[in-house]
């Protein structure tokens, strides 16, 4: 048992210091009937590294990984190239095996990273302040709706039809129990977003309008009129960004008037990992900082006058405010925030703009190639690195059959919106810097054959 | 023979008296290197990543191209590696030494876990890939779920919660859904005073009123007081077992029976499952829902504040209400997902989705690797050694530190001390900061709230006797200094990268992001 | 003008129909460095015992209750920029808010300075 350092001799010696005759004496408070007489049934005994690795590798081999196939999936999780040094650095034990920085004198590494991360995120999203992370984009989105309720003391949120349907589901789950009213309908296959309809729907009971940018179909729209309308009615604008690389190319939601901007940070530094762990981004205007959920790191000085960093404004949090806390969140996504921050530092503004430009250009070329496939139409007037194709038949089956041909060809709207067959011919296609011209050609050919 | 006269002395002069080391021009101290912020050393024109030229296309960004300066500095690769390596060295970590944070279970993080999680078949798959292309990933979820059920003696498990507090939320949502399904609108959740702050916060987060239940003088839930409070308005009782005083709730089964008789549910905070894994199954104690922190009991790394992972095991009564998505193993051995489209047929009472995708897959691979590495015999030994180590610490120090519940019997996985007996003006904080100078991470301090100046020490099973003995030596010395009123202790830490930090200043004038110095000055 | 005290460590100065409310020197001493004060909005109407304000140190957040019923006519804006006033001058410049007294008879149950001193000594 390679992880357990005590020898039998140690155990005997320690028991005698304790004054116990056997280990069972230490479990006396467990009622006899609840004590297992023997090992857990069914589970094999301990195993060597070699044999466990073999078992896990066999499971891994049963998956078709993104790098093995022409790959075009997005819809809230994106495949980007992560520089080698990111994964190397996050595996330094001092980062990997540290705890939440409750003792700041010996956690300045983590704390300085969080301070840098908060600044990077705030600048990227165009906000004054950002927190030290949430679990993922979907939970950050719900937290923003709850925060808007606290700020406005109203409980009706308008959710754009362009919001990721899983984010809508998460909000619905929570709203059932908090009593928030959520207004939402599934998207239509149109080039225009629903911003005009949202503006018309805002009233004096509205706490916030939640809009995704770019939206689930890849569409981009100016949020300024929506922000103005929301503010006019005393409501907040919550913007959701699931592809933060986009903000190297298009305007930041905070600069268009969004009060709270949340997002999924996975694209930068964090791999696909089948959906988790991911990285919830959360930023807002300075004036709402005390209503924010989650941890915040702030600058201060030590007793010798040196600059340092600490967790701060903790009275918002569960460990102090308990049932009056702004959120119940405790452990968040620290290591993913580190990965994001390292990747962003490697990119810098220059690299981010280049990366974003490359994504957009490849997406434009790919869209142009795919619409040459007979029967395929492009929905979007505008997009960043993701767009929606309208196929001549239900896209869900097409995606499955493409997978059988070794092409991972996007996310069907049927998978995302099983209750809306009227948009089932939509296929959401993401194109990042990892896609090669050969991949595009393979996708186009396979699609053409499937649709023939 | 020629003699080289320009040699260097190879034996240092003995230091005659202690003196202040002279300040250095850089602020560095040999291997301890000061590191500026990326905003101070980087530039927006520097990048550490090379890209091919983008094809020339006409932009389709809808007229929304970003033209403002974003203000994101870059560093070359070498500078980046150095920046983060230097910062890392200002952190304490389990890899450096004993990390006795009570209720946090800072055990060794095996590196095989890391290797497995990075296999492309796990690390590089998209959550919305067709199910036929991710059978191995679904298999990991299903297999881990199976062993978690087996280890806890429960009926089902919800795998999607993202951390412990998210798991608590999941458990309470199941309870609320189950109550609503029988048309029961109970409004109150009872929580012991010693509970983690997440418990009452979670109950409030999903719309419950929270009431405290008192503890007995020996640090356990007061069964009589609990029974007196139970009634038709109580939805659930949240119990931590072993509790945050490090004690096993002996009356757990009686508590559960009373709660069930009153029509309510038992939520167990499983943060301390490490003490009983392989020896006690919560399912045998009447628990209806319990989250398991994979980053505690099952060795996935804490990463400086996450990611965690908090699967929730459920009783038969609550299992139908768990969150989407779920995995189900079919007769032909394939595994399929229960999602929105088929939930109506397969899990009609599910309360819905609580995060976008499948939960913390990257933690599942690590936890499964750990469970298979330890096996049935190893996991039982984990609990035994964790409890043995904690009791060894408790009994080795109770002559110099007050152990408020020491007389009532052995502790479980953590030893609890108080500040009673320290000299006037000396606090738990002084001992904690003194431990930093001694090369240890401090214990959990001022928690649980039911003990004055609490010091909660959880050594975990992965510490050797030699490591424990050195820790005991350090803590004994600090306790003696604090009892004797050694004023120097109040200045600790002396040897850390920073001295005590001004948290009041940070909270009064919050500086949460970096600003260019001229802007920061103008704002003042 | 007369000054009253509550067992929740608040003081109340009553001048005509206006009552000024703050926390006592003993309370600020117990709380430690005050870093933030959340004040009620003008026009807010409280029943005696309602949560009226929140006072925060680094490690704790404490509710301040309305010691008597009434409508808030003014909050001490100086505390927003300088919460430390609660530490340095709790019973004068560090006041929290002013109420229009709704029911003067509620003052009857409160302590005077001597009684409060005795109360604190007994803690």
């Amino acid at each position: 048992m390679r992880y357990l350092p005590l020898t039998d001799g140690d155990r005997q010696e320690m028991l005698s210091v304790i004054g116990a005759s056997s280990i069972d004496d230490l479990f006396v408070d467990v009622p006899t009937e609840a004590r297992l007489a023997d090992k857990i049934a069914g589970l094999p005994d301990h195993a060597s590294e070699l044999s466990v690795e073999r078992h896990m590798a066999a499971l891994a081999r049963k998956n078709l990984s993104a790098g093995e196939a022409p790959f075009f999936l997005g819809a809230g999780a994106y495949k980007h190239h992560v520089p080698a040094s990111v994964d190397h650095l996050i595996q330094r034990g001092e980062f990997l095996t540290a705890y939440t920085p409750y003792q700041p004198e010996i956690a300045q590494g983590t704390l300085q990273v969080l301070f840098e991360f908060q600044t990077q995120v705030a600048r990227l999203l165009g906000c004054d302040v950002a927190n030290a992370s949430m679990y993922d984009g979907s939970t950050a989105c719900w937290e923003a709706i709850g925060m808007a309720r606290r700020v406005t003391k109203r409980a009706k949120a308008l959710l754009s039809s362009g919001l990721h349907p899983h984010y809508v589901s998460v909000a619905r789950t929570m709203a059932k129990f908090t009593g928030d009213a959520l207004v939402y309908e599934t998207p239509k296959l149109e080039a225009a977003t629903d911003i005009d309809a949202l503006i018309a729907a805002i009233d004096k009971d509205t706490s916030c309008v939640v809009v995704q940018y770019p939206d689930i179909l890849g569409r981009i729209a100016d949020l300024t009129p929506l922000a103005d309308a929301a503010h006019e009615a005393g409501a907040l604008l919550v913007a959701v960004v699931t592809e933060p690389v986009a903000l190297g190319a298009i305007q930041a939601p905070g600069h268009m008037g969004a009060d709270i901007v949340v997002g999924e940070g996975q694209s930068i530094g964090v791999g696909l990992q089948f959906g988790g762990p991911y990285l919830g981004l959360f930023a807002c205007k300075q004036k709402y900082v005390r209503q924010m959920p989650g941890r915040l790191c702030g600058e201060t000085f030590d007793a010798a006058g040196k600059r340092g960093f600490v967790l701060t404004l903790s009275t918002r949090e569960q460990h102090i405010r308990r049932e009056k806390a702004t959120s119940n969140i405790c452990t968040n996504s620290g290591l993913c925030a580190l990965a994001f921050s390292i990747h962003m530092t490697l990119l810098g503004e220059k690299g981010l703009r280049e990366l974003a430009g490359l994504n957009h250009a490849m997406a434009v070329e790919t869209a142009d190639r795919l619409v040459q496939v007979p029967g395929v139409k492009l929905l979007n007037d505008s997009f960043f690195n993701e767009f929606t194709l309208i196929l001549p038949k239900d896209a869900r089956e097409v995606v499955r059959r493409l997978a059988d041909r070794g092409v991972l060809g996007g996310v069907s709207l049927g998978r995302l919106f099983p209750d809306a067959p009227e948009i089932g011919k939509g296929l959401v296609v993401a194109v990042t810097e990892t896609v090669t011209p050969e991949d595009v050609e393979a996708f186009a050919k396979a699609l053409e054959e499937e649709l023939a | 023979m020629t003699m080289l006269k320009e040699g260097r002395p190879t034996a240092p002069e003995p230091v005659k008296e202690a003196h202040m080391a002279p300040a250095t021009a850089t602020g560095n101290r040999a291997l301890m290197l000061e590191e500026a912020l990326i905003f101070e050393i980087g530039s927006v024109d520097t990048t550490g990543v090379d890209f091919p030229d983008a094809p020339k296309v006409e932009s389709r960004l809808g007229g929304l191209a970003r033209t403002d300066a974003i203000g994101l500095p870059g560093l070359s690769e070498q500078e980046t590696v150095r920046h983060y390596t230097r910062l890392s060295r200002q952190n304490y970590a389990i890899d450096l030494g004993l990390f006795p944070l009570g209720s946090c279970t800072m055990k060794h993080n095996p590196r095989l876990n890391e290797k497995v999680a990075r296999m492309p078949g796990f690390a590089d798959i998209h959550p919305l890939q067709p199910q036929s292309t991710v059978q191995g990933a679904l298999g990991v979820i299903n297999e881990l779920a199976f062993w978690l059920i087996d280890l806890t003696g429960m009926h089902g498990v919800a795998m999607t919660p993202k951390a412990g507090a998210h798991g608590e939320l999941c458990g309470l949502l199941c309870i609320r859904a189950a109550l609503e399904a029988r048309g029961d609108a109970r409004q109150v959740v009872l929580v012991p005073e010693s509970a983690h702050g997440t418990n009452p916060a979670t109950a409030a987060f999903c719309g419950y009123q929270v009431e405290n239940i008192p503890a007995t003088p020996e640090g356990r839930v007061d069964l009589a007081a609990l029974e007196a409070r139970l009634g038709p308005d109580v939805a659930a009782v949240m119990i931590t077992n072993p509790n945050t005083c490090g004690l096993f709730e002996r009356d757990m089964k009686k508590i559960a029976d009373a709660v069930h008789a009153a029509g309510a549910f038992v939520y167990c905070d499983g943060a301390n499952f490490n003490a009983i894994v392989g020896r006690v199954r919560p399912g045998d104690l009447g628990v209806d829902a319990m989250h398991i922190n994979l980053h505690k009991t099952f060795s996935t790394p804490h990463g400086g504040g996450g990611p965690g992972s908090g699967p929730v095991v459920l009783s038969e009564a609550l299992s139908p209400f768990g969150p989407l998505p779920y995995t189900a193993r079919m007769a032909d051995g394939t595994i399929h997902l229960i999602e929105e489209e088929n939930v109506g047929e397969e899990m009609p009472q599910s309360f819905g989705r609580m995060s976008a995708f499948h939960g913390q897959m990257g933690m599942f691979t690590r936890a499964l690797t750990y469970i298979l590495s330890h096996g049935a015999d190893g996991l039982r030994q984990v609990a035994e050694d964790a409890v043995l180590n904690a009791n060894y610490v408790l009994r080795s120090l109770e002559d110099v530190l007050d152990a408020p519940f020491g007389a009532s019997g052995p502790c479980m996985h953590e030893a609890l001390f108080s500040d009673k007996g320290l000299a006037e003006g000396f606090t738990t904080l002084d001992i904690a900061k003194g431990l930093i100078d001694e090369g240890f991470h401090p214990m959990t301090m001022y928690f649980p709230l039911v003990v004055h100046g609490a010091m909660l020490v959880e050594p975990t099973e992965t510490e050797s006797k030699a490591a424990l003995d050195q820790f005991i030596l350090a803590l004994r010395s600090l306790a003696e200094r604090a009892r004797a009123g050694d004023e120097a202790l109040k200045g600790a830490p002396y040897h850390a990268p920073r001295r005590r930090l001004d948290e009041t200043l940070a909270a009064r004038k919050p500086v949460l992001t970096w600003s260019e110095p001229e802007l920061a000055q103008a704002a003042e | 003008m007369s000054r009253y005290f509550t067992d929740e460590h608040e003081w109340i100065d009553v001048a005509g129909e206006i009552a000024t409310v703050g926390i006592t020197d003993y309370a600020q001493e117990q709380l430690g460095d005050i870093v933030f004060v959340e004040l009620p909005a003008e026009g807010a109407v409280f029943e005696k015992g309602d949560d009226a304000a929140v006072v925060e140190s680094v490690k704790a957040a404490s509710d301040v209750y309305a010691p008597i019923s009434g409508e808030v006519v003014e909050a001490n804006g100086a505390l927003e920029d300088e919460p430390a006033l609660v530490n340095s001058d709790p019973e004068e410049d560090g006041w929290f808010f002013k109420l229009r007294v709704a029911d003067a008879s509620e003052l009857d149950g409160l302590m005077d300075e001597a009684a409060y001193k005795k109360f604190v000594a007994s803690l």
Side-chain angles (χ1 to χ4, degrees):
Chain A
M1 290 180 218
R2 57 191 176 273
Y3 308 139
L4 299 176
L6 295 185
T7 65
D8 282 338
D10 292 334
R11 292 187 181 105
Q12 281 314 316
E13 209 178 316
M14 291 162 72
L15 281 170
S16 71
V17 169
I18 295 165
S21 60
S22 77
I23 197 78
D24 286 332
D25 285 0
L26 302 180
F27 284 84
V28 286
D29 288 330
V30 180
T32 325
E33 66 273 18
R35 283 187 226 169
L36 293 178
D38 203 353
K39 295 177 291 192
I40 285 283
L43 183 62
D45 276 348
H46 67 280
S48 68
E49 261 208 20
L50 180 62
S51 76
V52 175
E53 187 176 333
R54 214 172 256 153
H55 176 85
M56 297 303 291
L59 283 166
R61 274 196 302 277
K62 290 165 83 177
N63 301 318
L64 177 62
S65 70
E68 293 176 302
F71 179 89
F72 297 89
L73 279 77
Y78 300 87
K79 176 171 173 59
H80 288 288
H81 172 72
V82 178
S85 41
V86 175
D87 196 48
H88 165 78
L89 287 165
I90 69 168
Q91 286 196 75
R92 282 193 65 92
E94 302 94 325
F95 286 131
L96 184 75
T97 75
Y99 197 69
T100 302
Y102 288 138
Q103 297 287 345
E105 298 87 350
I106 45 171
Q108 285 299 304
T110 292
L111 286 160
Q112 182 169 332
V113 166
L114 290 179
F115 186 78
E116 293 176 346
F117 170 79
Q118 289 174 183
T119 308
Q120 287 172 320
V121 171
R123 290 180 174 196
L124 183 68
L125 304 182
C127 293
D128 300 325
V129 288
N131 77 8
S133 82
M134 310 298 288
Y135 306 131
D136 72 356
S138 68
T139 59
C141 177
W142 165 254
E143 293 270 10
I145 295 170
M147 178 169 150
R149 177 190 346 108
R150 292 192 298 274
V151 168
T152 62
K153 308 213 164 37
R154 303 173 182 179
K156 183 172 89 175
L158 308 181
L159 310 186
S160 160
S161 63
L163 180 59
H164 196 297
H166 292 174
Y167 290 30
V168 175
S169 297
V170 172
R172 280 188 168 156
T173 296
M174 290 306 302
K176 267 188 285 186
F177 302 102
T178 58
D180 290 76
L182 302 179
V183 181
Y184 169 77
E185 54 185 46
T186 50
K188 299 191 177 67
L189 289 185
E190 298 171 349
T193 66
D194 63 348
I195 281 191
D196 291 339
L198 289 169
I199 289 174
I202 296 171
D203 63 21
K204 62 176 176 35
D205 299 324
T206 305
S207 62
C208 62
V209 184
V210 184
V211 60
Q212 186 173 318
Y213 170 89
D215 79 358
I216 186 67
L217 303 182
R219 301 171 299 191
I220 309 170
D222 186 359
L223 304 181
T224 313
L226 188 56
D228 292 343
H231 297 156
E232 181 80 11
L236 304 190
L237 177 63
V238 175
V240 178
V241 178
T242 61
E243 170 49 299
V245 172
L247 301 184
I250 56 174
Q251 287 180 28
H255 294 156
M256 293 187 281
D259 300 279
I260 305 173
V261 184
V262 297
E264 173 52 70
Q266 170 271 331
S267 264
I268 299 178
V270 184
L272 287 169
Q273 306 187 87
F274 203 50
Y278 280 2
L279 170 67
L281 308 178
F282 199 110
C284 68
K285 291 181 175 165
Q286 178 75 39
K287 63 179 168 180
Y288 301 129
V289 67
R290 286 182 183 273
Q291 291 298 336
M292 270 181 122
R295 299 195 198 291
L296 286 166
C297 170
E299 182 184 288
T300 189
F301 292 89
D302 78 353
K306 282 189 184 169
R307 178 175 68 186
F309 302 92
V310 293
L311 292 178
T312 191
L313 301 186
S314 306
T315 46
R316 301 163 299 109
E317 292 184 66
Q318 45 76 26
H319 60 103
I320 293 178
R321 197 56 79 80
R322 297 173 81 86
E323 67 268 22
K324 289 184 177 171
T326 53
S327 167
N328 71 334
I329 192 167
C330 180
T331 293
N332 44 71
S333 290
L335 200 70
C336 300
L338 172 68
F340 178 104
S341 197
I342 297 171
H343 192 179
M344 190 61 92
T345 300
L346 279 164
L347 287 169
E349 186 157 338
K350 180 172 188 283
L352 178 68
R353 286 186 189 276
E354 286 175 6
L355 174 62
L358 185 56
N359 272 250
H360 183 56
M362 306 222 13
V364 168
E365 288 205 325
T366 305
D368 287 348
R369 172 66 187 91
L370 292 175
V371 292
Q372 290 171 24
V373 174
V376 173
K377 283 190 290 222
L378 175 66
L379 173 86
N380 306 56
D381 293 335
S382 62
F383 57 88
F384 169 61
N385 69 352
E386 188 168 28
F387 49 82
T388 300
L389 297 178
I390 302 170
L391 307 185
K393 59 179 173 185
D394 192 274
R396 185 139 202 202
E397 192 52 34
V398 174
V399 166
R400 289 186 184 135
R401 296 172 69 103
L402 286 172
D404 292 341
R405 293 167 172 270
V407 173
L408 294 169
V411 179
S412 68
L413 292 185
R415 175 92 186 258
L416 292 171
F417 300 93
D419 297 332
E422 69 278 8
I423 60 172
K425 291 176 180 171
L427 177 67
V428 181
V429 176
V431 186
T432 73
E433 76 285 359
T434 62
V435 167
T436 65
E438 293 73 31
D439 292 338
V440 177
E441 210 42 45
F443 183 17
K445 288 234 169 68
L447 188 60
E448 188 162 344
E449 287 167 23
E450 271 316 314
L451 296 178
Chain B
M1 149 178 158
T2 53
M3 298 284 289
L4 182 61
K5 296 217 168 120
E6 298 291 315
R8 61 181 175 86
T10 52
E13 287 291 312
V15 174
K16 296 228 169 58
E17 60 197 73
H19 58 79
M20 290 284 289
T24 57
T26 54
N28 295 336
R29 283 168 294 160
L31 292 177
M32 224 42 250
L33 299 158
E34 290 291 319
E35 182 65 3
L37 294 162
I38 51 172
F39 306 95
E40 295 161 335
I41 55 179
S43 124
V44 293
D45 300 319
T46 304
T47 183
V49 187
D50 295 320
F51 293 105
D53 290 336
K56 293 270 178 286
V57 297
E58 198 168 316
S59 160
R60 292 192 208 169
L61 297 172
L64 291 167
R66 188 167 191 173
T67 51
D68 61 301
I70 309 174
L72 293 168
L75 297 174
S76 68
E77 177 171 312
Q78 187 263 13
E79 293 170 297
T80 303
V81 169
R82 199 169 272 176
H83 178 70
Y84 292 98
T85 301
R86 287 180 173 190
L87 288 182
S88 76
R89 290 160 51 88
Q90 299 182 19
N91 271 0
Y92 196 84
I94 316 166
D95 280 5
L96 286 173
L98 198 148
F99 208 127
L101 267 183
S103 263
C104 299
T105 315
M106 294 296 282
K107 63 168 71 176
H108 171 61
N109 302 146
R111 290 314 190 269
L112 177 62
N113 301 358
E114 298 303 311
K115 184 176 181 186
V116 167
R118 285 169 171 77
M119 291 174 176
F122 296 134
D124 194 26
I125 49 175
H126 190 285
L128 295 172
Q129 278 181 223
Q131 292 179 33
S132 63
T133 66
V134 289
Q135 283 294 305
L138 297 176
V140 166
I141 297 177
N142 205 259
E143 187 175 339
L144 177 60
F146 182 86
W147 295 127
L148 294 179
I149 290 170
D150 192 39
L151 285 164
T152 54
M154 300 288 280
H155 187 267
V157 59
M159 297 296 287
T160 61
K162 295 261 178 192
H166 208 221
E168 292 174 27
L169 184 61
C170 175
L172 286 195
L173 291 182
C174 286
I175 288 169
R176 191 145 178 176
L179 286 168
E180 282 178 5
R182 68 182 200 215
D184 199 337
R186 293 164 180 250
Q187 274 307 314
V188 176
V189 169
L190 303 180
V191 178
E193 288 165 340
S194 59
H196 296 112
T198 49
N199 291 181
T202 301
F205 201 57
C206 47
Y208 281 113
Q209 292 159 32
V210 180
E211 285 183 31
N212 278 327
I213 42 176
T216 62
E218 57 160 20
R220 293 184 170 88
V221 170
D222 187 332
L223 178 61
L226 173 68
E227 282 177 331
R229 179 57 191 88
L230 285 170
D233 59 336
V234 175
V237 179
M238 299 180 85
I239 306 260
T240 306
N241 196 18
N243 70 23
T244 60
C245 298
L247 304 174
F248 194 86
E249 294 287 355
R250 284 181 206 134
D251 292 332
M252 193 65 200
K253 190 72 177 67
K254 284 182 203 149
I255 291 171
D257 290 346
V259 171
H260 290 152
F265 291 94
V266 178
Y267 186 88
C268 183
D269 183 327
N272 297 335
F273 187 52
N274 200 50
I276 56 173
V277 61
R279 283 197 69 111
V280 180
R281 301 190 313 165
D284 298 333
L285 295 165
V287 168
D288 290 296
M290 181 182 89
H291 74 262
I292 299 170
N293 304 80
L294 296 185
H295 51 295
K296 295 181 180 178
T297 307
F298 296 107
S299 84
T300 71
H302 281 74
S309 181
V312 178
V313 286
L314 297 166
S315 63
E316 192 168 3
L318 292 184
S319 291
F321 302 97
L324 300 178
Y326 251 86
T327 60
R329 185 177 283 277
M330 311 305 287
D332 65 358
T334 59
I335 298 171
H336 88 147
L337 276 174
I338 302 172
E339 293 186 301
E340 281 80 355
E341 68 170 343
N342 52 354
V343 66
E345 303 107 68
E346 303 195 38
M347 221 181 141
Q349 291 180 298
S350 164
F351 70 67
R353 201 175 272 270
M354 62 185 307
S355 66
F357 301 116
H358 310 285
Q360 307 287 58
M361 181 66 188
M363 301 296 121
F364 299 159
T365 47
R366 290 172 172 90
L368 179 57
T369 300
Y370 175 83
I371 287 174
L372 297 176
S373 292
H374 262 315
D377 55 341
L379 286 175
R380 192 176 166 92
Q381 192 70 51
V382 162
E384 292 180 1
D385 285 358
V387 171
L388 180 66
N389 280 357
N391 277 282
Y392 183 65
V393 170
L394 178 70
R395 298 308 171 200
S396 300
L397 287 166
E398 63 184 348
D399 60 323
V400 286
L401 278 174
D402 174 57
F405 306 121
S408 68
C411 64
M412 297 300 288
H413 60 299
E414 54 195 358
L416 178 61
F417 301 103
S418 86
D419 61 1
K420 197 168 141 192
L422 306 187
E424 180 70 27
F426 283 78
T427 64
T428 291
L429 186 72
D430 298 322
I431 292 195
K433 299 302 183 192
L435 269 175
I436 292 175
D437 278 339
E438 296 286 355
F440 293 98
H441 195 282
M443 60 283 167
T444 291
M445 53 184 199
Y446 301 101
F447 181 86
L449 309 176
V450 292
V451 168
H452 195 271
M455 301 175 222
L456 192 60
V457 179
E458 180 179 5
T460 85
E461 75 282 1
T462 58
E463 294 305 326
S464 68
K465 181 170 175 297
L468 292 174
D469 284 336
Q470 198 196 30
F471 174 73
I472 289 164
L473 173 82
L475 194 47
R476 167 173 291 281
S477 150
L478 291 163
E480 283 167 351
R481 287 171 64 194
R483 294 173 80 91
D486 176 355
E487 287 292 325
L489 194 53
K490 290 186 176 172
Y494 294 90
H495 305 300
R498 287 291 178 275
R499 303 291 295 274
R500 290 190 199 188
L501 288 134
D502 189 344
E503 296 181 76
T504 299
L505 174 70
R508 275 187 183 157
K509 303 255 182 244
V511 177
L512 306 174
T513 54
W514 189 80
S515 316
E516 282 70 14
E518 55 274 26
L519 293 178
Q521 253 169 13
E524 271 174 16
Chain C
M1 192 167 74
S2 37
R3 177 167 286 206
Y4 302 87
F5 294 84
T6 73
D7 55 6
E8 299 286 352
H9 306 287
E10 293 153 6
W11 55 265
I12 309 139
D13 275 349
V14 182
E17 59 170 0
I18 302 298
T20 306
V21 179
I23 67 168
T24 65
D25 188 50
Y26 174 82
Q28 71 79 18
E29 182 80 42
Q30 292 293 308
L31 290 169
D33 291 344
I34 304 300
V35 298
F36 181 68
V37 181
E38 187 183 317
L39 295 166
E42 251 171 63
V45 177
F46 295 121
E47 294 286 314
K48 178 177 178 172
D50 284 355
D51 294 353
V54 181
V55 54
E56 295 185 3
S57 63
V58 170
K59 296 290 176 202
S62 313
D63 292 316
V64 174
Y65 308 110
I68 52 172
S69 307
E71 181 189 339
V72 176
V73 295
E74 192 184 347
N76 186 0
L79 298 184
E80 281 170 22
D81 290 333
E82 212 186 333
L85 274 178
V86 180
N87 292 119
S88 59
D89 197 7
E91 303 200 8
E92 295 296 337
D93 288 352
W95 60 277
F96 278 41
F97 53 88
K98 297 186 183 189
L99 287 172
R100 178 169 289 114
V101 181
D103 178 3
S105 72
E106 286 177 353
L107 295 165
D108 295 346
L110 302 180
M111 290 177 266
D112 62 11
E113 185 158 7
Y116 178 70
K117 272 193 175 153
K118 220 183 223 176
F119 170 68
V120 167
S122 73
L123 295 176

